[in-house]
Amino acid sequence: MKKDKIIYWVATGIVTAMMLMSGVMYFANPEIAAGFVKLGFPDYFRVELGAAKLIGAVALIVPQIPIRVKEWAYAGFGINFISAIITHFAIGDAKGTPMIFFLLIALVVSNIYLHKTKTAVA
């Protein structure tokens, strides 16, 4: 049980830290804004995605948030990571994908161990 909690919190902490950092950078880094323009995305999409990352990260890390809400955050991050991988390959910039694959794996581990820790308690 203790091992499961440690695995859960490490995986969740990694995903949360990266999404908080990414979400903040979407607002603070002009290079990211320029990257969105280069990809042909409208600027409001960057703002929307940055806000979603911040909200999702909080949903994952706060223990009092209901599991149903956490599941939506997991789904949103999963879609985001898969879309980012596809986008990087589509523009010929595969060098950014290993970190995204790592985060996708950490997200899956976090989700699996969330359920393991919650069913063990019940």
Side-chain angles (χ1 to χ4, degrees), residues 15-100:
V15 172
T16 300
M18 293 302 292
M19 291 302 95
L20 285 172
M21 186 172 58
S22 176
V24 168
M25 294 306 288
Y26 274 35
F27 294 106
N29 190 339
E31 291 176 14
I32 291 178
F36 268 77
V37 170
K38 179 182 171 188
L39 291 171
F41 294 123
D43 193 52
Y44 67 81
F45 182 64
R46 174 187 57 85
V47 173
E48 178 183 318
L49 195 54
K53 285 183 175 193
L54 294 173
I55 293 167
V58 170
L60 288 187
I61 202 72
V62 175
Q64 292 81 7
I65 301 289
I67 289 181
R68 184 168 290 202
V69 175
K70 290 180 185 289
E71 286 295 339
W72 280 100
Y74 282 117
F77 285 143
I79 291 167
N80 178 259
F81 295 159
I82 291 167
S83 297
I85 291 167
I86 292 168
T87 300
H88 279 279
F89 277 114
I91 64 169
D93 179 31
K95 70 177 187 253
T97 58
M99 177 56 94
I100 303 168

Side-chain angles (χ1 to χ4, degrees), residues 1-8 67 71 74 108-122:
M1 177 62 183
K2 187 174 182 175
K3 177 189 79 154
D4 291 348
K5 281 190 174 188
I6 291 170
I7 293 170
Y8 166 73
I67 289 181
E71 286 295 339
Y74 282 117
V108 170
V109 169
S110 173
N111 190 356
I112 289 168
Y113 279 87
L114 169 69
H115 292 290
K116 278 188 174 188
T117 59
K118 295 303 178 190
T119 55
V121 172

